[in-house]
Amino acid sequence: MPKIIVLPHAELCPDGASIEAKTGDSICETLLRNEIDIDHACDMACACTTCHVIVREGFKTMEASDDMEDDLLDKAWGLEPNSRLSCQAIIGTEDLVVEIPKYSINMAKEGHR
């Protein structure tokens, strides 16, 4: 069973975490199920960037992002080459190390289009 190592985040996970994960679940679902309250303003419909994470280890073990996710990621705060929307990033069989960025942009709430 793979694990997700969550790097410390001042508000959501100050001490970091090591979480058992299920292959086939999204990173977002797994974080929420383990009381890491990552923002997901669109209810995981791939319509915002609030659940943006940076996959520090294990990025290549996941399925590639699709065009819709890539288009949204272009609008994410702090975008990096290993960025994913956690609602779309499906856990494979390998461990992942993820960082939740300090900020996120809620395009619906903040009036961005």
Side-chain angles (χ1 to χ4, degrees), residues 59-108:
F59 182 81
K60 292 183 179 183
T61 67
M62 296 182 300
E63 289 186 23
S65 56
D66 63 17
D67 290 341
M68 193 163 131
E69 181 182 355
D70 290 340
D71 288 346
L72 282 170
L73 277 170
D74 285 340
K75 299 171 183 145
W77 183 90
L79 181 67
E80 294 191 15
N82 290 350
S83 287
R84 291 295 304 265
L85 296 181
S86 66
C87 69
Q88 300 301 301
I90 304 302
I91 299 163
T93 58
E94 303 294 323
D95 293 351
L96 302 174
V97 175
V98 300
E99 178 180 351
I100 302 169
K102 185 175 181 177
Y103 303 106
S104 69
I105 299 171
N106 186 333
M107 293 189 282

Side-chain angles (χ1 to χ4, degrees), residues 8-80:
H9 181 281
E11 295 172 12
L12 301 178
C13 189
D15 297 323
S18 179
I19 301 167
E20 294 288 327
K22 292 181 191 172
T23 298
D25 284 356
S26 73
I27 292 173
C28 188
E29 291 169 316
T30 303
L31 296 179
L32 293 169
R33 191 170 44 248
N34 287 276
E35 299 179 8
I36 299 174
D37 194 23
I38 189 166
D39 199 3
H40 54 290
C42 72
D43 290 326
M44 298 184 260
C46 195
C48 72
T49 63
T50 59
C51 71
H52 169 228
V53 296
I54 302 161
V55 181
R56 295 291 180 202
E57 293 180 26
F59 182 81
K60 292 183 179 183
T61 67
M62 296 182 300
E63 289 186 23
S65 56
D66 63 17
D67 290 341
M68 193 163 131
E69 181 182 355
D70 290 340
D71 288 346
L72 282 170
L73 277 170
D74 285 340
K75 299 171 183 145
W77 183 90
L79 181 67
E80 294 191 15

